Amino acid sequence: MTIALLGQPNSGKSTLFNGLTGSRQHVGNWPGKTVEQKEGHFNHAGRKYTVVDLPGTYSLSAHSDEEIVTREYIAGGKADRVYILADASQLERTLFMLADYAGIRTPAVLLLNMMDVAAKQGKTIDSAVISRKLGIPVVPLSAVDTKNYAGFFQTLVDGGETPALLAETSLSNLYATVIGNPYRQVLDLLPAGGIGAYSASWLAVKLLERDASARQIVQSSLDAAAMAKLDSLVNRVENGSLLTGDCKFRWIDDLLKGSVSAAPSDKQKLGRFDRIATSKTWGKPLSIAMILLGLVLSFLPAAPFMAFGSMLPGILVPPVAGGLGTLGVPPIIISLLGDAVITAIGFVIAMAGFVFGISLVFGFLEEIGYMARISYVFDHTMSRLGLHGKAVMPFLVSFGCTIGGAAGARVIDSWGQRVLAISLAWVVPCAGTWGVVGLMSGTFFGVWAPLVVVSLFLTALLHMGITSRIFGRSLLQESDRSGLIMELPPYHKPRWKNLFRFVLNRMGDVLVRALKIVILVAVLFWLLSYTPDGDVSGSIIYAVGTFIEPVTALFGLKWQLFMAFLASAMGKEAALGVLSTLFATGSGVFSSAIGQGAVAPNLSSVLLSSISKAEALAFIFAFTFNIPCLMALAATYQETHSLKWTLRIAGYYLGMALLMAFLAYHVGLLIF
């Protein structure tokens, strides 16, 4: 049996989905659409169920890819039953999806989620009365509490082979009363039995709302004369969406009359903290301070994983190498397994630990309700880049680590906005960048080093503007560029079990994807840098580097600088180790690239004698705006579910980094 979860954003669909399926879920994209598809399964009473988490939308109008995917899936008969979630604490607004669903002949169940929040507001909801009015099961629920799913599971059993359809008669009568003749005349031209899964009343309403997709459905069933008459009737109706929307809200009011008591007033007073958190003056500084504090605190839960990952090569490599040596395994295989594979696994575990820390801390802020305040105060700022206020979190977190920035983009509902936010977050220099930039700028430019840093920030702002324009054309529809409309959720205690389940699933996903990417690249880099005696001059990387140096020199990058630039795509911290190896020691290129190599104490003096100021400037710009790291690449793929867009972003950043190196080098030649 297949069930689908339908509801507005933040209605609790994903919480219920995770509670039902746990780790038994798959996330990808809908075929032919850049919209996230989540599917999983669970077992109950000896029967297996497939559950689909449909994209969160505010209605079933076909104005976006999310709405089109949702509507086509429901009407296509792919789900045996649709579970519609509404926020019990805000029924007047969240039941609009139910009103828009009325007339779609797929069996439905209404889930009144967040009953615990409604109870704290003093609300009493009689679900049995609502059920009688709707003709379908209505189940009170708190999706965050998996022990509270008994009512949900009972509907799976009680529905049998003939589950109930949502009654639409009272809503149809409202349309006829409020809209009058235009609605009735349109209805008379449509097939009395409707078309497919859509009733005649539902189609009439969508036509009055100027729904192009609904018109195509109707056009396929009517002759040209009837269609022309229908278009004429529809065109005479002004503000059709306002009229039908008014009817839907009246229907909701009638539905709640006698079934909900102690409803809250339209306006709720903000507490003292919220007045600060949402103010124009103090909201942004408070948000930045909270995120910076979150970044610092993220290292506490991440530390054990990072320490274990760093120690893993030292723990495993000696016994593995010794054991394989006694078995007569060739040294090259021992080096491959020890130096490449085990070292790469340790590197991934260490970085995945930071994903754990970031997800836990910022998941906590989301869980208690504070992240919504951050989104609100930054919405106007983010709109200049075509983004919602929610996109500010990936940007600010990326100052600590781009991996966390990419993972943090999950809070953005629109897939296009999510991908654009990640692509722009790559511009933000992470913490690992500044150690390299500090040494290089301080070594070559002395007291003028702050000017180099300022120029990097100014270039980053310009980079963001250009990237937003280039990618925004493909990723954002006009409807995606609207402002953020949201209600601030009430503060509440976090559900730790639910939070840890989410965090561990997130860490596991990143770990699996990153292992595939990092091990593949690590083995490739090891093959290029391996020599039996450890002397880099005998490696493939040396031969290739010196061969292409006439080309890389155009960008101001000697072959050693170019190899350090490529290695920085594995991890920013690797750049100094590779520079030290190639310029100072001449051995251990791979261990340096994976972040295990030591930095020579005389690196600054060696660099000063080996490269010019213009070349140093070129490297600083190329390094800063290169791919952040392989783990960030894996996190980007995890959040976008698109190999094409992940590779497109990576290729774009490689190209832009080299372009900036070229410009910086030639400007440097003029200055120095």
Side-chain angles (χ1 to χ4, degrees):
M1 181 176 179
T2 299
I3 64 174
L5 305 181
L6 174 68
Q8 296 179 354
N10 303 315
S11 61
K13 288 189 303 88
S14 295
T15 303
L16 177 60
F17 178 80
N18 291 331
L20 290 171
T21 64
S23 60
R24 302 176 300 278
Q25 55 182 257
H26 168 74
V27 181
N29 276 1
W30 291 88
K33 298 286 184 183
T34 54
V35 176
E36 185 174 273
Q37 178 186 32
K38 293 172 68 176
E39 184 176 297
H41 67 269
F42 65 93
N43 296 295
H44 177 70
R47 187 174 184 181
K48 182 177 179 179
Y49 295 86
T50 297
V51 55
V52 177
D53 184 7
L54 295 170
T57 62
Y58 289 96
S59 71
L60 291 174
S61 299
H63 297 318
S64 69
D65 282 350
E66 286 83 2
E67 290 168 333
I68 292 171
V69 160
T70 299
R71 202 162 88 179
E72 289 179 349
Y73 184 87
I74 293 170
K78 297 176 182 176
D80 299 295
R81 207 168 305 167
V82 176
Y83 283 76
I84 304 171
L85 280 83
D87 181 351
S89 67
Q90 305 177 66
L91 285 176
E92 294 84 353
R93 178 180 63 81
T94 57
L95 281 175
F96 189 85
M97 175 64 80
L98 182 75
D100 217 28
Y101 187 91
I104 297 180
R105 293 178 293 215
T106 300
V109 175
L110 176 62
L111 300 178
L112 302 179
N113 190 29
M114 305 185 197
M115 287 294 291
D116 52 338
V117 178
K120 290 178 181 178
Q121 294 177 344
K123 279 187 175 182
T124 302
I125 302 173
D126 193 332
S127 58
V129 173
I130 298 176
S131 179
R132 285 196 297 271
K133 291 181 179 181
L134 295 175
I136 60 173
V138 177
V139 181
L141 182 73
S142 291
V144 293
D145 185 5
T146 55
K147 297 177 182 178
N148 190 7
Y149 285 11
F152 169 86
F153 287 132
Q154 192 61 43
T155 62
L156 297 175
V157 178
D158 292 346
E161 299 302 320
T162 56
L165 298 176
L166 176 61
E168 64 167 335
T169 304
S170 58
L171 184 55
S172 299
N173 291 338
L174 262 176
Y175 291 138
T177 301
V178 175
I179 303 175
N181 283 334
Y183 167 76
R184 287 190 287 266
Q185 289 170 346
V186 169
L187 195 62
D188 289 341
L189 289 172
L190 297 171
I195 301 173
Y198 304 115
S199 72
S201 175
W202 189 92
L203 289 168
V205 167
K206 289 302 172 188
L207 289 172
L208 292 172
E209 292 174 356
R210 304 292 202 276
D211 189 307
S213 180
R215 186 186 179 282
Q216 290 178 352
I217 295 170
V218 171
Q219 190 174 22
S220 64
S221 299
L222 297 184
D223 57 37
M227 198 65 214
K229 187 175 181 181
L230 190 64
D231 285 337
S232 177
L233 286 171
V234 168
N235 290 334
R236 292 179 202 165
V237 179
E238 296 182 3
N239 301 319
S241 294
L242 291 177
L243 293 172
T244 60
D246 179 50
C247 292
K248 291 169 188 174
F249 280 115
R250 288 194 190 189
W251 178 78
I252 292 170
D253 288 341
D254 291 341
L255 179 65
L256 298 181
K257 199 173 294 181
S259 54
V260 178
S261 61
S265 60
D266 291 337
K267 292 186 178 180
Q268 298 179 1
K269 294 181 179 179
L270 290 177
R272 180 179 299 175
F273 179 79
D274 264 349
R275 286 198 294 272
I276 299 172
T278 59
S279 76
K280 293 182 179 180
T281 304
W282 299 108
K284 289 179 182 178
L286 177 62
S287 297
I288 292 172
M290 291 289 284
I291 289 179
L292 291 177
L293 178 62
L295 283 172
V296 174
L297 293 177
S298 297
F299 283 97
L300 297 179
F305 296 97
M306 299 176 79
F308 176 72
S310 300
M311 294 188 299
L312 189 66
I315 296 171
L316 291 183
V317 171
V320 168
L324 293 177
T326 59
L327 295 175
V329 176
I332 188 172
I333 301 299
I334 296 175
S335 178
L336 172 63
L337 293 176
D339 294 338
V341 177
I342 294 177
T343 303
I345 291 173
F347 174 75
V348 170
I349 291 174
M351 291 298 99
F354 191 71
V355 174
F356 175 82
I358 283 281
S359 299
L360 181 62
V361 171
F362 289 100
F364 171 80
L365 291 178
E366 178 77 21
E367 184 82 6
I368 65 174
Y370 181 66
M371 287 305 300
R373 278 76 179 170
I374 296 178
S375 302
Y376 170 75
V377 297
F378 277 99
D379 186 52
H380 179 68
T381 303
M382 291 294 100
S383 68
R384 297 176 182 178
L385 296 172
L387 296 169
H388 287 166
K390 291 181 179 182
V392 73
M393 196 194 99
F395 285 16
L396 294 178
V397 171
S398 290
F399 277 108
C401 179
T402 315
I403 306 168
R410 173 59 63 92
V411 300
I412 302 173
D413 302 314
S414 162
W415 182 89
Q417 288 224 357
R418 189 184 310 162
V419 177
L420 181 59
I422 292 173
S423 68
L424 293 176
W426 277 31
V427 178
V428 179
C430 68
T433 303
W434 297 111
V436 182
V437 170
L439 184 140
M440 293 290 290
S441 59
T443 297
F444 285 90
F445 305 106
V447 295
W448 300 105
L451 286 180
V452 175
V453 175
V454 170
S455 68
L456 289 174
F457 273 109
L458 293 176
T459 303
L461 293 175
L462 180 62
H463 195 335
M464 277 189 178
I466 294 172
T467 304
S468 174
R469 289 181 176 273
I470 292 175
F471 286 162
R473 294 169 185 167
S474 302
L475 291 170
L476 299 184
Q477 300 178 6
E478 198 60 37
S479 59
D480 292 327
R481 296 178 180 272
S482 58
L484 182 67
I485 301 174
M486 64 184 302
E487 294 186 36
L488 297 181
Y491 292 108
H492 51 83
K493 294 180 180 179
R495 300 275 185 165
W496 292 105
K497 183 179 178 181
N498 188 57
L499 177 59
F500 274 104
R501 184 190 298 119
F502 159 76
V503 170
L504 291 174
N505 284 341
R506 169 67 57 81
M507 181 183 176
D509 288 344
V510 171
L511 193 63
V512 171
R513 293 182 187 277
L515 278 172
K516 297 175 183 177
I517 296 173
V518 174
I519 290 178
L520 176 64
V521 175
V523 169
L524 178 62
F525 203 89
W526 176 87
L527 289 170
L528 293 174
S529 61
Y530 176 78
T531 57
D533 59 0
D535 185 357
V536 70
S537 62
S539 67
I540 297 174
I541 204 169
Y542 177 85
V544 172
T546 52
F547 177 75
I548 65 172
E549 189 171 39
V551 177
T552 62
L554 296 174
F555 302 98
L557 302 175
K558 290 184 175 180
W559 77 269
Q560 296 98 325
L561 292 175
F562 185 72
M563 290 306 166
F565 162 73
L566 293 180
S568 71
M570 297 186 70
K572 292 294 188 183
E573 299 84 351
L576 286 181
V578 173
L579 287 173
S580 181
T581 295
L582 295 178
F583 280 109
T585 64
S587 62
V589 177
F590 177 76
S591 61
S592 298
I594 206 71
Q596 301 291 324
V599 178
N602 63 333
L603 179 60
S604 294
S605 59
V606 171
L607 290 176
L608 278 170
S609 64
S610 303
I611 61 177
S612 67
K613 287 186 176 182
E615 290 171 333
L617 191 65
F619 176 77
I620 289 172
F621 273 82
F623 163 83
T624 301
F625 297 107
N626 191 15
I627 295 172
C629 67
L630 287 180
M631 287 292 291
L633 194 72
T636 297
Y637 178 51
Q638 179 200 3
E639 297 303 330
T640 62
H641 311 295
S642 172
L643 180 61
K644 180 186 76 173
W645 270 101
T646 301
L647 294 178
R648 183 179 293 182
I649 294 170
Y652 170 79
Y653 270 83
L654 279 172
M656 286 294 285
L658 290 174
L659 174 61
M660 290 182 191
F662 177 84
L663 296 174
Y665 175 60
H666 289 278
V667 169
L669 289 177
L670 295 175
I671 298 174
F672 308 114

